[in-house]
Amino acid sequence: MSVTSSRPASRLDQILTLSRAQKRAALGLYLPVGYPTLSASLDALHLMGQAADILEIGIPYTRPFLDGPVIQQATAEALANGFQMGDVFMAAAELTASTSAALAVMSYWTPIEQYGPRAFAEELATAGGAAVLVPDLPETAAAGWQEATRAAGLRTITLIPPHASTAQLAAIGASTTGMAYAPATPGLTGDQSPLSPYLPRLVHRLRTATRLPVAVGIGISTPAQAEHVSGFADAVVVGSAVIRRMQALPETPVTAAAAAARDFADGVQRARRTAG
């Protein structure tokens, strides 16, 4: 596996190199900016950054086709509370200054397209962002987006489509500069179904075909599952499980997020201890 490219190493590259040297997966934690409020999301992310290797901040969007009810509710609250794109760049700048975590952004294409892809990439990079995941990037926009992210020095993360052929995976590897992102379950985010027994084989296939580090997310709902996936993936990404804890404790959502982050970090660390 290689995490290098022809461009200088990014914070994401460095994080993946470090976690690999420590014989463990990197832990990524996701939260939409603005949930449950802008200030609470920033407080939660600051604390989550003490446990996470990668902070994945979400851009709230009105039609989140990939997301289940947990994230849908969270992003709807953020939008109702007045989320603006500038909040993302402000959050990125604060988090990269106060934590050692690599900062990645997850966004659907429409908000980026409306803002301006080149302006978005440049402002995110200036704020300290390391990578971007756009799960619904249209083929017609791919070349221009790759040019914009490359010019800004951002890594790209690609969500692997179901049933992709080996040739398609090789093409993804050629155009992606950060990680391949494999779903742990076939449904929407927040799915609490058992993980597929074929997931280790899938990760191996993706790593071999794309020559990229492989992150696993979408369906990691317990620390035990994070521990299991850490045994074969390069990164484990958790989102809905953190938000679910926050929704269960609406009076203390920041404390709940921090506790969830520690629990999942402990799961990743247990995998390292078990392995070696």
Side-chain angles (χ1 to χ4, degrees), residues 34-38 74-84 87:
Y35 172 77
T37 64
L38 179 58
T75 56
E77 286 189 39
L79 289 167
N81 289 332
F83 166 81
Q84 298 181 14
D87 298 336

Side-chain angles (χ1 to χ4, degrees), residues 243-256:
I243 298 170
R244 197 176 288 116
R245 294 259 203 115
M246 298 171 72
Q247 292 172 340
L249 297 169
E251 300 301 319
T252 56
V254 172
T255 303

Side-chain angles (χ1 to χ4, degrees), residues 3-275:
V3 298
T4 61
S5 76
S6 58
R7 289 171 292 283
S10 75
R11 201 164 184 172
L12 178 62
D13 299 336
Q14 294 165 359
I15 286 293
L16 291 171
T17 298
L18 176 61
S19 62
R20 186 173 69 248
Q22 295 175 343
K23 299 184 179 182
R24 64 175 179 85
L27 174 63
L29 297 175
Y30 165 91
L31 188 69
V33 176
Y35 172 77
T37 64
L38 179 58
S39 61
S41 68
L42 290 173
D43 289 344
L45 285 162
H46 280 294
L47 293 175
M48 291 161 64
Q50 296 176 13
D53 301 289
I54 302 166
L55 285 174
E56 183 182 331
I57 61 175
I59 294 181
Y61 179 52
T62 55
R63 296 185 298 279
F65 77 93
L66 181 65
D67 295 312
V70 172
I71 292 180
Q72 285 186 25
Q73 179 183 337
T75 56
E77 286 189 39
L79 289 167
N81 289 332
F83 166 81
Q84 298 181 14
M85 188 66 84
D87 298 336
V88 174
F89 307 128
M90 179 270 291
E94 285 197 14
L95 293 167
T96 53
S98 65
T99 77
S100 60
L103 197 288
V105 167
M106 184 277 185
S107 177
Y108 293 97
W109 177 243
T110 297
I112 294 175
E113 183 181 37
Q114 292 175 343
Y115 193 84
R118 186 169 293 276
F120 178 91
E122 290 174 351
E123 291 189 42
L124 179 60
T126 298
V132 185
L133 166 63
V134 183
D136 61 342
L137 179 67
E139 288 187 16
T140 54
W145 177 237
Q146 289 164 10
E147 181 182 350
T149 53
R150 185 165 48 245
L154 293 173
R155 295 295 188 255
T156 53
I157 302 171
T158 300
L159 179 65
I160 301 300
H163 314 301
S165 68
T166 300
Q168 288 173 315
L169 293 176
I172 288 171
S175 62
T176 301
T177 56
M179 295 189 295
Y181 194 116
T185 56
L188 303 176
T189 62
D191 190 340
Q192 299 185 69
S193 301
L195 302 183
S196 168
Y198 302 106
L199 191 56
R201 186 184 306 172
L202 172 63
V203 170
H204 176 73
R205 176 177 177 245
L206 297 182
R207 190 183 288 127
T208 301
T210 65
R211 311 303 298 175
L212 291 167
V214 178
V216 173
I218 308 179
I220 306 295
S221 57
T222 68
Q225 288 179 332
E227 178 182 359
H228 171 66
V229 173
S230 293
F232 52 85
D234 300 291
V236 178
V237 183
V238 182
S240 295
V242 175
I243 298 170
R244 197 176 288 116
R245 294 259 203 115
M246 298 171 72
Q247 292 172 340
L249 297 169
E251 300 301 319
T252 56
V254 172
T255 303
R262 290 192 297 270
D263 288 347
F264 280 97
D266 287 345
V268 170
Q269 292 294 340
R270 282 197 300 273
R272 179 177 64 166
R273 289 194 293 269
T274 300

